[in-house]
Amino acid sequence: METTQLGKTGIFVSAIGLGGMPMSIYNRPPESDSIQVIHRALDLGVTFIDTADSYCKDESDKHHNERLIHKALSSYPGDTSQVVVATKGGLMRPNESWTRNGNPEHLRQTIRVSFEALGGEKPIDVWQYHFPDPEYTIAESLAPVKEAVEAGLIRFVGVSNFSVEQIKQARDVVDIVSVQNQYSPWERQPEKDGVLQYCEQEKLTFLPWSPFGGRRRHQDLQDISAIAQLAKAKGVSVYSIVLAWLRAKSPTILPIPGASKISSIEDSVSAVNVKLTNEEVQKI
């Protein structure tokens, strides 16, 4: 598997990661199936897994995905010492909806539970502030995160759904290695607001969430002629073309496509071998 550096940490991870969300929300598969998906990802060389405390059905189910990932890693027969798990905190799941909670005390508590959910034996590899809460300053919300780094609960810190100015504010509090914002051929905000350029400039890893455009867009990629034609010409899936497009857009991008089926992660990983020319990127 091709690798890429995580921020400026000196740690290299797989050039395509695995997003855990589909295994814990909506129509989640049986746990045994999800563990097989994670094991297959590891077989294929995936060493970066993205999760969150709120990847669950509702608040009574909080931290489900973190516990699932820990169970899968613990039961994997091979070496998992190089696997980096990135989790997030700062969103709640009441009634299967999403609400922000940047309350410092809540974040202090959820970091501790995430630490335990992921095994409680080593620091959380990467903890990301999931969504800035306007009820609190970024400095207020990240104060307990800095405490957790100093206490050895967190190794590296990232942010999610942040503007350039907000990233700068976060970096005034604690070192940042990654930014996770929505980005796909249909959602181009990181190009427009300068976040992608800033990540390149500062050597921060950019993690694009919802790379296939969300659940509705996910169903009709084949209907988009530019993508469908390239997929046919190269003998790959339309999803591989989208992941190749993301990787071609910037060397700082690390796609984290979600998967709940073995065939999905196999297809996603195969995209590492799909190369697009500048002309093909422009076509999309």
Side-chain angles (χ1 to χ4, degrees):
M1 165 68 84
E2 186 179 331
T3 60
T4 185
Q5 187 172 189
L6 177 64
K8 293 182 283 188
T9 64
I11 294 171
F12 285 80
V13 295
S14 55
I16 290 179
L18 168 66
M21 186 172 74
M23 301 180 212
S24 292
I25 63 172
Y26 308 129
N27 299 315
R28 70 168 62 153
E31 181 181 272
S32 59
D33 290 0
S34 292
I35 289 175
Q36 287 179 14
V37 170
I38 297 169
H39 284 182
R40 183 57 179 147
L42 298 173
D43 290 342
L44 294 168
V46 171
T47 57
F48 189 90
I49 302 175
D50 180 77
T51 181
D53 65 355
S54 57
Y55 290 171
C56 55
K57 289 183 176 179
D58 55 39
E59 283 301 298
S60 68
D61 190 47
K62 202 73 174 276
H63 301 276
H64 176 273
N65 198 245
E66 293 170 329
R67 293 188 178 99
L68 172 68
I69 288 167
H70 173 63
K71 189 171 185 177
L73 291 176
S74 299
S75 61
Y76 185 66
D79 179 21
T80 60
S81 62
Q82 304 304 308
V83 176
V84 170
V85 177
T87 192
K88 296 180 285 294
L91 283 185
M92 310 293 283
R93 285 282 282 164
N95 303 315
E96 297 195 5
S97 60
W98 304 94
T99 60
R100 307 183 197 189
N101 188 346
N103 182 304
E105 190 50 46
H106 164 70
L107 295 179
R108 186 174 288 111
Q109 179 182 0
T110 199
I111 287 168
R112 170 61 66 174
V113 180
S114 288
F115 172 76
E116 297 293 342
L118 290 167
E121 296 179 355
K122 68 181 184 69
I124 295 169
D125 295 319
V126 184
W127 187 92
Q128 306 159 89
Y129 183 21
H130 208 152
F131 219 122
D133 183 347
E135 296 296 317
Y136 304 90
T137 67
I138 287 171
E140 287 172 332
S141 294
L142 289 183
V145 181
K146 183 179 181 181
E147 291 171 13
V149 172
E150 294 170 347
L153 295 179
I154 294 172
R155 191 175 183 190
F156 301 114
V157 178
V159 293
S160 183
N161 302 296
F162 269 48
S163 67
V164 170
E165 181 55 37
Q166 290 169 327
I167 299 168
K168 291 178 179 177
Q169 291 176 35
R171 296 180 80 190
D172 286 340
V173 179
V174 65
D175 189 35
I176 299 297
V177 303
S178 62
V179 177
Q180 184 170 161
N181 286 7
Q182 186 175 14
Y183 187 47
S184 72
W186 308 275
E187 175 50 63
R188 311 289 279 274
Q189 191 63 27
E191 297 174 11
K192 302 170 186 175
D193 61 17
V195 168
L196 193 54
Q197 182 181 7
Y198 181 78
C199 287
E200 287 183 8
Q201 172 190 313
E202 300 298 315
K203 292 183 168 52
L204 306 176
T205 295
F206 184 91
L207 305 166
W209 63 265
S210 199
F212 303 129
R215 284 191 296 163
R216 184 175 63 178
R217 175 65 68 186
H218 189 283
Q219 302 302 318
D220 58 5
L221 289 179
Q222 196 66 47
D223 297 334
I224 301 165
S225 60
I227 293 174
Q229 289 168 11
L230 281 171
K232 184 176 181 180
K234 294 179 182 293
V236 299
S237 74
V238 288
Y239 307 107
S240 288
I241 293 297
V242 171
L243 295 177
W245 176 86
L246 284 167
R247 297 188 67 231
K249 292 295 287 186
S250 172
T252 194
I253 289 178
L254 167 53
I256 46 170
S260 58
K261 298 178 181 178
I262 287 177
S263 58
S264 296
I265 189 58
E266 288 177 340
D267 185 62
S268 291
V269 167
S270 71
V272 79
N273 299 314
V274 180
K275 308 300 181 185
L276 300 181
T277 65
N278 289 337
E279 183 181 0
E280 289 168 337
V281 170
Q282 288 301 315
K283 186 177 181 182
I284 294 175

